[in-house]
Amino acid sequence: MALNRPVLRVAAVGDLHCGKDSQGALQPLFARIAEAADVLVLCGDLTDYGLPEEAKILVRELAGTVKIPIIGVFGNHDYESGHADEVKAILGDGGVRILDGDFVEIGGVGFAGVKGFAGGFGDRALQSWGEPILKAFVREAVEEALKLEAALARIQVPRRVAVLHYSPIRGTVDPEPPEVIPFLGSSRLEEPINRYGAFAAVHGHAHHGVMEGRTSTGVPVYNVALPLLRARLGGRPPFRVLEIPIIQEAAEPAAAIA
Ligand SMILES: [Fe+2]
Ligand SMILES: [Fe+2]
């Protein structure tokens, strides 16, 4: 993808929770995004109950307003009704590429996406010990982190962005009630983000967290849950735009420039 500007503008928002009554409700947001960005990233909970008809409404809301590439990850709500594969297919047909341990490169930036999972943060993170069902819970977080690492590793361009639903750090979920914090993310997701020196990570899920934090190595983390942005951005449109400086490839083939 050839760009005339030295930055890629990435709009990020999560937790659209598109429901059966969302017809017409999201179009104004998408229209503002289309004016402001080169890429749209959706950070999970795209639908409210993971229903195919909700996905069809979301696709209709996007159609006609958003012509830029759209990528995203699922959130827990997108799995609620057991139709995740059908929802993914409907969104795919509508131009929304759902990442699940894979990546896409757009305009010199690589986006690695996973849903992520829960388990908590730091020294108090849930460990794989005891009952089999508890080990299975921890295994889900470990596997999501491994998928994220594999996707980040395969990106060939210099800039990497991690796209998540669950948070990789406590910093962007902290104002939430302490009882729910372990269910809002996992430190296991932070490790690959640091190891591969990601430019940034974006996530949702923590509707009552804070908008920005950093990993232990300083990678910016943005909580872009729509309810949070609506509450914190005042009258401004509820999405974030990351301006990512493009590092030009030294020997770009002439055919790609033409
Ligand atoms: Fe949500
Ligand atoms: Fe969620």
Side-chain angles (χ1 to χ4, degrees), residues 1-12 33-41 68-71 104-112 155 157-163 199-200 202 222 239-248:
M1 181 177 176
L3 292 168
N4 295 324
R5 62 179 64 88
V7 300
L8 187 77
R9 301 169 305 167
V10 178
I33 288 171
E35 293 168 359
D38 304 304
V39 180
L40 169 57
V41 173
I68 57 178
I70 308 167
I71 59 177
V104 61
E105 294 177 358
I106 301 171
V109 176
F111 298 86
I155 291 172
V157 292
R159 301 291 198 202
R160 293 174 171 85
V161 173
V163 181
F199 181 83
V202 289
Y222 300 96
F239 61 91
R240 301 298 303 271
V241 176
L242 282 61
E243 296 203 339
I244 304 178
I246 303 300
I247 300 173
Q248 297 294 338

Side-chain angles (χ1 to χ4, degrees), residues 15 17 45 77 165 205 207:
D15 302 270
H17 289 270
D45 285 356
H77 278 246
H165 181 59
H205 192 50
H207 293 200

Side-chain angles (χ1 to χ4, degrees), residues 103-225:
F103 71 98
V104 61
E105 294 177 358
I106 301 171
V109 176
F111 298 86
V114 293
K115 171 181 61 66
F117 197 55
F121 303 96
D123 293 342
R124 302 297 174 91
L126 190 62
Q127 301 300 318
S128 183
W129 199 91
E131 300 94 322
I133 196 163
L134 192 145
K135 291 177 178 172
F137 188 98
V138 172
R139 192 183 318 122
E140 174 74 3
V142 170
E143 288 177 357
E144 288 292 296
L146 289 172
K147 281 157 58 178
L148 176 61
E149 175 165 8
L152 286 167
R154 286 158 54 211
I155 291 172
Q156 297 294 313
V157 292
R159 301 291 198 202
R160 293 174 171 85
V161 173
V163 181
L164 307 161
H165 181 59
Y166 288 82
S167 177
I169 62 169
R170 180 166 176 156
T172 47
V173 307
D174 231 358
E176 297 268 8
E179 293 86 352
V180 303
I181 283 178
F183 304 108
L184 296 174
S186 167
S187 292
R188 297 178 197 277
L189 298 164
E190 180 184 0
E191 293 165 16
I193 292 168
N194 285 340
R195 194 171 314 125
Y196 285 91
F199 181 83
V202 289
H203 74 87
H205 192 50
H207 293 200
H208 305 289
V210 295
M211 295 199 302
E212 296 181 21
R214 286 186 184 273
T215 70
S216 59
T217 62
V219 176
V221 178
Y222 300 96
N223 179 353
V224 295

Side-chain angles (χ1 to χ4, degrees), residues 16 25-26 29 225-239:
L16 300 173
L26 294 168
L29 170 65
L226 180 58
L228 174 68
L229 299 186
R230 281 199 205 282
R232 299 293 156 80
L233 290 178
R236 283 179 287 158
F239 61 91

